[in-house]
mmCIF file of all heavy atoms in Angstrom:
data_model
loop_
_atom_site.group_PDB
_atom_site.id
_atom_site.type_symbol
_atom_site.label_atom_id
_atom_site.label_comp_id
_atom_site.label_asym_id
_atom_site.label_seq_id
_atom_site.Cartn_x
_atom_site.Cartn_y
_atom_site.Cartn_z
ATOM 1 N N ASN T 1 -21.011 77.689 91.479
ATOM 2 C CA ASN T 1 -22.069 78.489 90.821
ATOM 3 C C ASN T 1 -22.426 77.576 89.697
ATOM 4 O O ASN T 1 -21.960 76.585 89.280
ATOM 5 C CB ASN T 1 -21.342 79.792 90.231
ATOM 6 C CG ASN T 1 -20.095 79.515 89.496
ATOM 7 O OD1 ASN T 1 -20.031 78.614 88.622
ATOM 8 N ND2 ASN T 1 -19.051 80.357 89.700
ATOM 9 N N THR T 2 -23.498 78.107 89.076
ATOM 10 C CA THR T 2 -24.201 77.377 88.078
ATOM 11 C C THR T 2 -23.428 77.149 86.797
ATOM 12 O O THR T 2 -23.721 76.234 86.075
ATOM 13 C CB THR T 2 -25.605 78.027 87.775
ATOM 14 O OG1 THR T 2 -25.348 79.362 87.351
ATOM 15 C CG2 THR T 2 -26.543 78.008 88.910
ATOM 16 N N SER T 3 -22.466 78.070 86.550
ATOM 17 C CA SER T 3 -21.629 77.858 85.374
ATOM 18 C C SER T 3 -20.621 76.832 85.503
ATOM 19 O O SER T 3 -20.073 76.368 84.556
ATOM 20 C CB SER T 3 -20.934 79.228 85.021
ATOM 21 O OG SER T 3 -20.012 79.496 86.087
ATOM 22 N N GLY T 4 -20.345 76.401 86.738
ATOM 23 C CA GLY T 4 -19.307 75.341 86.989
ATOM 24 C C GLY T 4 -19.750 74.161 87.731
ATOM 25 O O GLY T 4 -19.017 73.422 88.318
ATOM 26 N N SER T 5 -21.021 73.980 87.737
ATOM 27 C CA SER T 5 -21.548 72.777 88.423
ATOM 28 C C SER T 5 -22.653 72.149 87.602
ATOM 29 O O SER T 5 -23.102 72.575 86.580
ATOM 30 C CB SER T 5 -22.156 73.170 89.878
ATOM 31 O OG SER T 5 -23.253 73.999 89.645
ATOM 32 N N LEU T 6 -23.148 71.051 88.044
ATOM 33 C CA LEU T 6 -24.215 70.287 87.412
ATOM 34 C C LEU T 6 -25.517 71.104 87.791
ATOM 35 O O LEU T 6 -25.796 71.385 88.824
ATOM 36 C CB LEU T 6 -24.316 68.889 87.910
ATOM 37 C CG LEU T 6 -23.178 67.998 87.671
ATOM 38 C CD1 LEU T 6 -23.375 66.627 88.351
ATOM 39 C CD2 LEU T 6 -23.002 67.811 86.098
ATOM 40 N N GLY T 7 -26.336 71.244 86.782
ATOM 41 C CA GLY T 7 -27.632 71.932 86.905
ATOM 42 C C GLY T 7 -28.517 71.193 87.818
ATOM 43 O O GLY T 7 -28.349 69.810 87.861
ATOM 44 N N LYS T 8 -29.347 71.716 88.489
ATOM 45 C CA LYS T 8 -30.321 71.086 89.371
ATOM 46 C C LYS T 8 -31.184 70.031 88.776
ATOM 47 O O LYS T 8 -31.400 69.021 89.355
ATOM 48 C CB LYS T 8 -31.212 72.043 90.197
ATOM 49 C CG LYS T 8 -30.402 72.962 91.048
ATOM 50 C CD LYS T 8 -31.442 73.903 91.757
ATOM 51 C CE LYS T 8 -30.624 74.786 92.730
ATOM 52 N NZ LYS T 8 -31.499 75.731 93.382
ATOM 53 N N LYS T 9 -31.527 70.202 87.387
ATOM 54 C CA LYS T 9 -32.366 69.275 86.732
ATOM 55 C C LYS T 9 -31.644 68.186 86.108
ATOM 56 O O LYS T 9 -32.166 67.389 85.528
ATOM 57 C CB LYS T 9 -33.201 70.040 85.727
ATOM 58 C CG LYS T 9 -34.181 71.089 86.417
ATOM 59 C CD LYS T 9 -35.052 71.819 85.292
ATOM 60 C CE LYS T 9 -36.016 72.736 85.892
ATOM 61 N NZ LYS T 9 -36.762 73.396 84.880
ATOM 62 N N GLU T 10 -30.308 68.255 86.097
ATOM 63 C CA GLU T 10 -29.501 67.254 85.458
ATOM 64 C C GLU T 10 -29.314 66.074 86.296
ATOM 65 O O GLU T 10 -29.285 66.216 87.537
ATOM 66 C CB GLU T 10 -28.097 67.803 84.947
ATOM 67 C CG GLU T 10 -28.362 68.944 83.975
ATOM 68 C CD GLU T 10 -26.977 69.325 83.269
ATOM 69 O OE1 GLU T 10 -26.177 68.421 83.129
ATOM 70 O OE2 GLU T 10 -26.757 70.520 83.028
ATOM 71 N N ARG T 11 -28.991 64.989 85.687
ATOM 72 C CA ARG T 11 -28.799 63.693 86.382
ATOM 73 C C ARG T 11 -27.515 63.709 87.252
ATOM 74 O O ARG T 11 -26.474 64.039 86.717
ATOM 75 C CB ARG T 11 -28.885 62.608 85.458
ATOM 76 C CG ARG T 11 -28.633 61.112 86.120
ATOM 77 C CD ARG T 11 -28.723 60.033 84.981
ATOM 78 N NE ARG T 11 -28.344 58.755 85.453
ATOM 79 C CZ ARG T 11 -27.127 58.308 85.399
ATOM 80 N NH1 ARG T 11 -26.179 59.048 84.954
ATOM 81 N NH2 ARG T 11 -26.879 57.132 85.971
ATOM 82 N N ARG T 12 -27.619 63.186 88.531
ATOM 83 C CA ARG T 12 -26.444 63.193 89.279
ATOM 84 C C ARG T 12 -26.021 61.689 89.350
ATOM 85 O O ARG T 12 -26.781 60.895 89.740
ATOM 86 C CB ARG T 12 -26.753 63.600 90.788
ATOM 87 C CG ARG T 12 -27.388 64.871 90.904
ATOM 88 C CD ARG T 12 -26.474 66.061 90.827
ATOM 89 N NE ARG T 12 -27.104 67.345 91.014
ATOM 90 C CZ ARG T 12 -26.494 68.381 91.444
ATOM 91 N NH1 ARG T 12 -25.249 68.389 91.843
ATOM 92 N NH2 ARG T 12 -27.123 69.596 91.626
ATOM 93 N N PRO T 13 -24.856 61.419 88.873
ATOM 94 C CA PRO T 13 -24.450 59.962 88.627
ATOM 95 C C PRO T 13 -24.091 59.279 89.951
ATOM 96 O O PRO T 13 -24.140 58.036 89.882
ATOM 97 C CB PRO T 13 -23.302 59.939 87.674
ATOM 98 C CG PRO T 13 -22.714 61.444 87.891
ATOM 99 C CD PRO T 13 -23.894 62.324 88.397
ATOM 100 N N LEU T 14 -23.734 59.933 91.010
ATOM 101 C CA LEU T 14 -23.090 59.233 92.117
ATOM 102 C C LEU T 14 -24.152 58.922 93.232
ATOM 103 O O LEU T 14 -24.777 59.933 93.724
ATOM 104 C CB LEU T 14 -21.955 60.033 92.660
ATOM 105 C CG LEU T 14 -20.712 60.233 91.847
ATOM 106 C CD1 LEU T 14 -19.734 60.994 92.616
ATOM 107 C CD2 LEU T 14 -20.160 58.885 91.394
ATOM 108 N N THR T 15 -24.191 57.726 93.545
ATOM 109 C CA THR T 15 -25.026 57.247 94.746
ATOM 110 C C THR T 15 -24.202 56.925 95.839
ATOM 111 O O THR T 15 -22.893 56.994 95.772
ATOM 112 C CB THR T 15 -25.807 55.938 94.295
ATOM 113 O OG1 THR T 15 -24.963 54.977 93.966
ATOM 114 C CG2 THR T 15 -26.769 56.279 93.053
ATOM 115 N N VAL T 16 -24.639 56.548 96.958
ATOM 116 C CA VAL T 16 -23.865 56.078 98.147
ATOM 117 C C VAL T 16 -23.118 54.940 97.791
ATOM 118 O O VAL T 16 -21.802 54.962 98.093
ATOM 119 C CB VAL T 16 -24.743 55.795 99.410
ATOM 120 C CG1 VAL T 16 -23.862 55.188 100.527
ATOM 121 C CG2 VAL T 16 -25.556 57.053 99.839
ATOM 122 N N PHE T 17 -23.564 53.941 97.120
ATOM 123 C CA PHE T 17 -22.791 52.798 96.604
ATOM 124 C C PHE T 17 -21.606 53.219 95.749
ATOM 125 O O PHE T 17 -20.465 52.789 95.837
ATOM 126 C CB PHE T 17 -23.632 51.836 96.005
ATOM 127 C CG PHE T 17 -22.867 50.564 95.491
ATOM 128 C CD1 PHE T 17 -22.464 49.595 96.386
ATOM 129 C CD2 PHE T 17 -22.584 50.428 94.191
ATOM 130 C CE1 PHE T 17 -21.741 48.516 95.926
ATOM 131 C CE2 PHE T 17 -21.846 49.332 93.646
ATOM 132 C CZ PHE T 17 -21.400 48.266 94.549
ATOM 133 N N SER T 18 -21.807 54.165 94.778
ATOM 134 C CA SER T 18 -20.800 54.715 93.802
ATOM 135 C C SER T 18 -19.759 55.364 94.645
ATOM 136 O O SER T 18 -18.593 55.156 94.458
ATOM 137 C CB SER T 18 -21.454 55.658 92.856
ATOM 138 O OG SER T 18 -22.503 54.976 92.075
ATOM 139 N N LEU T 19 -20.096 56.202 95.631
ATOM 140 C CA LEU T 19 -19.105 56.893 96.521
ATOM 141 C C LEU T 19 -18.392 55.836 97.218
ATOM 142 O O LEU T 19 -17.109 56.056 97.432
ATOM 143 C CB LEU T 19 -19.832 57.827 97.391
ATOM 144 C CG LEU T 19 -20.510 59.116 96.854
ATOM 145 C CD1 LEU T 19 -21.372 59.809 97.755
ATOM 146 C CD2 LEU T 19 -19.445 60.002 96.280
ATOM 147 N N VAL T 20 -18.934 54.818 97.944
ATOM 148 C CA VAL T 20 -18.279 53.923 98.675
ATOM 149 C C VAL T 20 -17.271 53.170 97.855
ATOM 150 O O VAL T 20 -16.054 52.897 98.217
ATOM 151 C CB VAL T 20 -19.177 52.934 99.328
ATOM 152 C CG1 VAL T 20 -18.437 51.826 99.990
ATOM 153 C CG2 VAL T 20 -19.999 53.704 100.405
ATOM 154 N N THR T 21 -17.619 52.787 96.578
ATOM 155 C CA THR T 21 -16.638 52.132 95.549
ATOM 156 C C THR T 21 -15.472 53.025 95.390
ATOM 157 O O THR T 21 -14.354 52.451 95.394
ATOM 158 C CB THR T 21 -17.383 51.901 94.316
ATOM 159 O OG1 THR T 21 -18.536 51.025 94.529
ATOM 160 C CG2 THR T 21 -16.493 51.287 93.217
ATOM 161 N N ILE T 22 -15.631 54.333 95.100
ATOM 162 C CA ILE T 22 -14.480 55.166 94.895
ATOM 163 C C ILE T 22 -13.680 55.257 96.195
ATOM 164 O O ILE T 22 -12.443 55.235 96.123
ATOM 165 C CB ILE T 22 -14.938 56.559 94.510
ATOM 166 C CG1 ILE T 22 -15.656 56.524 93.101
ATOM 167 C CG2 ILE T 22 -13.856 57.586 94.467
ATOM 168 C CD1 ILE T 22 -16.365 57.803 92.612
ATOM 169 N N GLY T 23 -14.356 55.300 97.371
ATOM 170 C CA GLY T 23 -13.631 55.365 98.580
ATOM 171 C C GLY T 23 -12.830 54.172 98.874
ATOM 172 O O GLY T 23 -11.583 54.295 99.229
ATOM 173 N N VAL T 24 -13.389 53.069 98.685
ATOM 174 C CA VAL T 24 -12.683 51.768 98.882
ATOM 175 C C VAL T 24 -11.447 51.646 97.910
ATOM 176 O O VAL T 24 -10.369 51.177 98.175
ATOM 177 C CB VAL T 24 -13.569 50.583 98.759
ATOM 178 C CG1 VAL T 24 -12.794 49.270 98.783
ATOM 179 C CG2 VAL T 24 -14.575 50.393 99.818
ATOM 180 N N ALA T 25 -11.671 52.141 96.625
ATOM 181 C CA ALA T 25 -10.494 52.189 95.686
ATOM 182 C C ALA T 25 -9.412 53.004 96.092
ATOM 183 O O ALA T 25 -8.195 52.619 96.050
ATOM 184 C CB ALA T 25 -11.066 52.629 94.382
ATOM 185 N N CYS T 26 -9.800 54.234 96.772
ATOM 186 C CA CYS T 26 -8.677 55.035 97.314
ATOM 187 C C CYS T 26 -7.891 54.388 98.449
ATOM 188 O O CYS T 26 -6.699 54.511 98.545
ATOM 189 C CB CYS T 26 -9.194 56.341 97.874
ATOM 190 S SG CYS T 26 -9.710 57.560 96.595
ATOM 191 N N LEU T 27 -8.558 53.548 99.158
ATOM 192 C CA LEU T 27 -7.900 52.970 100.329
ATOM 193 C C LEU T 27 -6.943 51.948 99.913
ATOM 194 O O LEU T 27 -5.878 51.527 100.641
ATOM 195 C CB LEU T 27 -8.913 52.401 101.317
ATOM 196 C CG LEU T 27 -9.798 53.308 101.921
ATOM 197 C CD1 LEU T 27 -10.710 52.567 103.010
ATOM 198 C CD2 LEU T 27 -9.151 54.480 102.588
ATOM 199 N N THR T 28 -7.084 51.297 98.773
ATOM 200 C CA THR T 28 -6.206 50.168 98.289
ATOM 201 C C THR T 28 -6.136 49.023 99.286
ATOM 202 O O THR T 28 -5.090 48.865 99.956
ATOM 203 C CB THR T 28 -4.759 50.674 97.838
ATOM 204 O OG1 THR T 28 -4.907 51.903 97.251
ATOM 205 C CG2 THR T 28 -4.155 49.763 97.037
ATOM 206 N N PRO T 29 -7.234 48.304 99.467
ATOM 207 C CA PRO T 29 -7.231 47.288 100.639
ATOM 208 C C PRO T 29 -6.166 46.290 100.539
ATOM 209 O O PRO T 29 -5.703 45.847 101.737
ATOM 210 C CB PRO T 29 -8.620 46.621 100.352
ATOM 211 C CG PRO T 29 -9.372 47.593 99.674
ATOM 212 C CD PRO T 29 -8.451 48.349 98.792
ATOM 213 N N LEU T 30 -5.590 45.935 99.412
ATOM 214 C CA LEU T 30 -4.646 44.831 99.481
ATOM 215 C C LEU T 30 -3.226 45.217 100.066
ATOM 216 O O LEU T 30 -2.311 44.435 100.209
ATOM 217 C CB LEU T 30 -4.413 44.215 98.075
ATOM 218 C CG LEU T 30 -5.585 43.551 97.452
ATOM 219 C CD1 LEU T 30 -5.206 42.943 96.144
ATOM 220 C CD2 LEU T 30 -6.130 42.529 98.446
ATOM 221 N N THR T 31 -3.139 46.564 100.424
ATOM 222 C CA THR T 31 -1.907 47.013 101.063
ATOM 223 C C THR T 31 -1.535 46.377 102.273
ATOM 224 O O THR T 31 -0.382 46.453 102.803
ATOM 225 C CB THR T 31 -1.830 48.612 101.221
ATOM 226 O OG1 THR T 31 -3.023 48.958 101.975
ATOM 227 C CG2 THR T 31 -1.884 49.287 99.875
#
C-alpha cells in the first residue's frame, strides 16, 4: 500500500544492473 511503499512519482533507485550486483553479492562467487 501507499503508506508502506515508494510513491509512484518518487525515484526508484534499483536498475537491472543494481539488482544483478545485489544478486551476485548474495551468491558469494569465491566460495
